Amino acid sequence: MNMKNDLSKELQTSNKTEGTPQTPGFFSRVRNFFETANAWGVFVLGSTFVLMIGAAYMVFILQNDFSQFRLDRKASTFGYVFLTIATALFAYKALFFLYTLVRYFMYRPIASVSDEKLPTVTVIVPAYNEGKQVWATLMSLAESDYPQEKLQLLSIDDGSKDDTWKWMQEAKRQLGERVSICQQPKNMGKRHALYRGFNEGTGEVFVTVDSDSIVKKNTLRNLVSPFVTNEKCGAVAGNIRVLNNERALLPKMLDVSFVLSFEFVRSAESSLNSVLCTPGALAAYRSEAVFACLPQWINQTFMGQPSDIGEDRAMTNMILKQGYHVLFQRNAYAYTNVPEHYKGLYKMFIRWGRSNVRENIEMSKYVFTNFREGSKLGSRLLFFSQATKIIMSYPFMLFMFFFVLTHPLLFLSSTFLSILVLTTFPVIFYAKRYSLSEAFWAYSYSVLFTFGLFWITPYAIATANKRGWLTRDLAVKK
């Protein structure tokens, strides 16, 4: 099967589950899941439920032990202080979740404006060692229903070592003047490839798309319409779904995680005009806002070292600082490849974690100033929530280790029961938007994150000054 057929198949599959009512009944969907899942997938999901249900039973029979644990903590000054702080943080998190839920229900995506009102757009596709996938990306963009006379496609090969340039040339051969391609003299990093695209682009709006992503036909017009309806809009985040979720279990889990991160969290952030990160896989920027911070962005440093990661979060931060609104468009979809193995996953999360640390420090310098007109409370609450996660990562990890060493049964039972309770919301959310059977992967992902990725934030804080993309040489199988 050729790439174009693969692309069409992926989009058709995505269209079937894109927030549309699911006609099969509950048991039919569960049966379909077990029919399509492989043996390893069934084992992982089954084990997850066994552990969570077993934990619920253990909590029930260990009630006296939990009561004694709480009494012991209250008996000491340190324990009492810890319980007070933990209770306060839990109450804060619960209230913030309710606040986010309210803001989510207030969110509405902006419908596409007419062809006449759409701005000129430059789509920039930086590529490094993507092989044939970059061709699929460019072809999906070319098939967009955006007016051709207003669309400029620009792809930049960032010194790839494989046949990426050959596939970019093939796209050029098929698309002719509709796409421009160029090569960096050597591998300089994604930020420099985008910088070249910003300087060579002519559009009123810049759109960045990762070279391992594909977009739907209406994605571009939906993505840029907020710039027309809101003159204060400086950037827009697209809605990211997983492309390779049929090839491994991790992508299945990440797809559920992405839906919560984008369609719930960013929807709430958008209602506050303060989306904190426009993803590299699909984002749009007002050209005026980009050029106002471009020198600072390309020359950004952290602890004396050039910043070669987190270019999307940094650009978002600098545009927010200018006083612009940053929004999210739920109706603008991109499907992107994600790591299929643990090594690639934790390296990706480390990169994101380091960027998060750096940009929260930068955000702290302006978020409590009069950085824009109108209410700034939402932006400040979002910043405080992010900062709290970072600040509490070490105390949380130390308490976890203490709990494991002193009360291993209490730790395991309470942790698995917490996963069962707290992850039910992502499961319900994904099931309502897409598929119930696939939603169950949220439980397995929570187990993986709790026990296999808990160390990411503390490690990212300790190594925030380190450079390197980390996952560039861990190519996804094509």
Side-chain angles (χ1 to χ4, degrees):
M1 182 179 290
N2 61 37
M3 180 62 73
K4 192 166 185 177
N5 289 337
D6 289 342
L7 174 61
S8 176
K9 182 179 178 181
E10 292 285 357
L11 288 174
Q12 289 171 4
T13 301
S14 302
N15 290 342
K16 289 178 182 177
T17 60
E18 188 184 292
T20 56
Q22 302 296 307
T23 53
F26 169 78
F27 292 107
S28 295
R29 280 176 274 170
V30 173
R31 184 176 64 251
N32 289 340
F33 167 78
F34 283 104
E35 288 175 352
T36 57
N38 58 34
W40 174 241
V42 172
F43 173 77
V44 169
L45 199 57
S47 299
T48 301
F49 276 97
V50 168
L51 288 170
M52 292 188 300
I53 295 171
Y57 176 71
M58 288 294 293
V59 169
F60 175 74
I61 65 174
L62 294 174
Q63 290 182 69
N64 292 336
D65 297 84
F66 279 104
S67 298
Q68 186 61 48
F69 176 77
R70 286 191 293 270
L71 290 173
D72 291 343
R73 298 288 75 75
K74 291 179 180 180
S76 67
T77 302
F78 174 79
Y80 184 80
V81 171
F82 174 83
L83 283 178
T84 302
I85 295 174
T87 302
L89 284 173
F90 178 80
Y92 162 73
K93 286 294 184 182
L95 289 173
F96 188 79
F97 170 77
L98 293 175
Y99 176 72
T100 304
L101 187 63
V102 171
R103 300 305 309 194
Y104 163 76
F105 284 116
M106 295 175 66
Y107 169 79
R108 295 292 183 276
I110 295 168
S112 171
V113 299
S114 64
D115 287 3
E116 294 75 22
K117 292 182 178 180
L118 287 172
T120 57
V121 168
T122 297
V123 182
I124 306 169
V125 182
Y128 178 77
N129 288 355
E130 285 298 343
K132 194 173 183 179
Q133 180 61 48
V134 68
W135 175 87
T137 300
L138 292 173
M139 296 303 292
S140 74
L141 288 165
E143 292 174 3
S144 299
D145 60 2
Y146 208 88
Q148 288 191 24
E149 67 277 8
K150 294 185 175 183
L151 181 61
Q152 177 190 25
L153 299 182
L154 177 58
S155 188
I156 300 144
D157 179 14
D158 186 29
S160 296
K161 301 173 184 178
D162 64 355
D163 59 352
T164 295
W165 179 243
K166 185 190 78 171
W167 285 107
M168 288 171 62
Q169 289 177 311
E170 176 62 19
K172 173 68 176 177
R173 186 188 68 79
Q174 295 185 44
L175 299 175
E177 296 303 314
R178 296 182 61 193
V179 64
S180 299
I181 61 174
C182 56
Q183 279 183 305
Q184 295 283 70
K186 61 179 181 179
N187 176 235
M188 301 172 68
K190 183 179 179 181
R191 190 178 297 232
H192 283 271
L194 289 171
Y195 180 74
R196 181 170 179 175
F198 290 142
N199 282 293
E200 294 187 7
T202 59
E204 299 168 273
V205 172
F206 292 121
V207 172
T208 63
V209 178
D210 280 350
S211 54
D212 60 353
S213 306
I214 60 173
V215 300
K216 294 187 62 181
K217 289 190 68 172
N218 63 354
T219 290
L220 293 181
R221 65 187 307 125
N222 288 338
L223 185 70
V224 305
S225 289
F227 295 102
V228 179
T229 61
N230 182 354
E231 63 181 13
K232 294 182 180 180
C233 177
V236 179
N239 192 359
I240 309 303
R241 297 290 307 279
V242 172
L243 178 62
N244 56 326
N245 61 351
E246 296 300 322
R247 293 208 294 251
L249 297 189
L250 279 182
K252 290 179 181 293
M253 299 179 194
L254 287 171
D255 190 45
V256 182
S257 175
F258 277 22
V259 166
L260 186 73
S261 175
F262 284 90
E263 301 195 20
F264 180 67
V265 175
R266 279 175 175 79
S267 290
E269 292 177 351
S270 187
S271 74
L272 297 167
N273 302 317
S274 300
V275 173
L276 298 184
C277 183
T278 52
L282 180 66
Y285 307 99
R286 191 180 295 274
S287 61
E288 295 174 4
V290 170
F291 288 124
C293 64
L294 197 57
Q296 178 189 0
W297 180 78
I298 192 61
N299 294 307
Q300 186 183 31
T301 60
F302 183 79
M303 297 182 68
Q305 295 288 329
S307 294
D308 57 357
I309 61 172
E311 72 293 326
D312 48 3
R313 179 75 192 276
M315 179 64 77
T316 309
N317 221 0
M318 293 177 185
I319 290 176
L320 277 171
K321 185 179 180 180
Q322 294 177 50
Y324 284 105
H325 296 173
V326 179
L327 307 177
F328 166 67
Q329 276 290 76
R330 190 169 62 199
N331 54 7
Y333 286 85
Y335 301 84
T336 192
N337 282 316
V338 297
E340 298 177 9
H341 304 285
Y342 177 72
K343 184 176 182 180
L345 181 66
Y346 78 69
K347 285 179 176 289
M348 180 179 75
F349 279 174
I350 289 172
R351 186 177 75 244
W352 290 358
R354 288 171 178 167
S355 174
N356 195 36
V357 172
R358 298 179 185 188
E359 295 307 321
N360 269 279
I361 293 173
E362 290 301 313
M363 192 173 184
S364 69
K365 298 176 183 178
Y366 72 84
V367 72
F368 295 106
T369 67
N370 189 29
F371 67 97
R372 76 176 179 202
E373 297 177 357
S375 175
K376 293 165 277 290
L377 177 62
S379 301
R380 291 165 181 170
L381 287 174
L382 293 173
F383 164 76
F384 184 75
S385 177
Q386 291 270 321
T388 303
K389 291 178 183 178
I390 295 173
I391 293 170
M392 294 306 299
S393 62
Y394 278 104
F396 174 79
M397 187 173 67
L398 291 174
F399 170 73
M400 186 183 73
F401 285 144
F402 169 78
F403 201 6
V404 169
L405 292 174
T406 58
H407 301 83
L409 280 180
L410 298 187
F411 169 78
L412 289 173
S413 58
S414 61
T415 299
F416 278 110
L417 179 59
S418 297
I419 289 172
L420 175 62
V421 174
L422 298 179
T423 309
T424 297
F425 175 77
V427 170
I428 294 172
F429 186 84
Y430 188 93
K432 183 174 177 59
R433 292 286 300 155
Y434 299 103
S435 164
L436 174 61
S437 58
E438 293 297 314
F440 292 132
W441 289 112
Y443 290 117
S444 297
Y445 177 74
S446 292
V447 173
L448 171 65
F449 192 90
T450 301
F451 293 95
L453 298 168
F454 69 90
W455 56 273
I456 294 291
T457 299
Y459 181 78
I461 295 171
T463 61
N465 64 320
K466 288 188 176 294
R467 302 177 60 189
W469 195 259
L470 298 180
T471 57
R472 277 199 151 195
D473 294 322
L474 297 174
V476 177
K477 294 179 182 178
K478 301 204 169 45

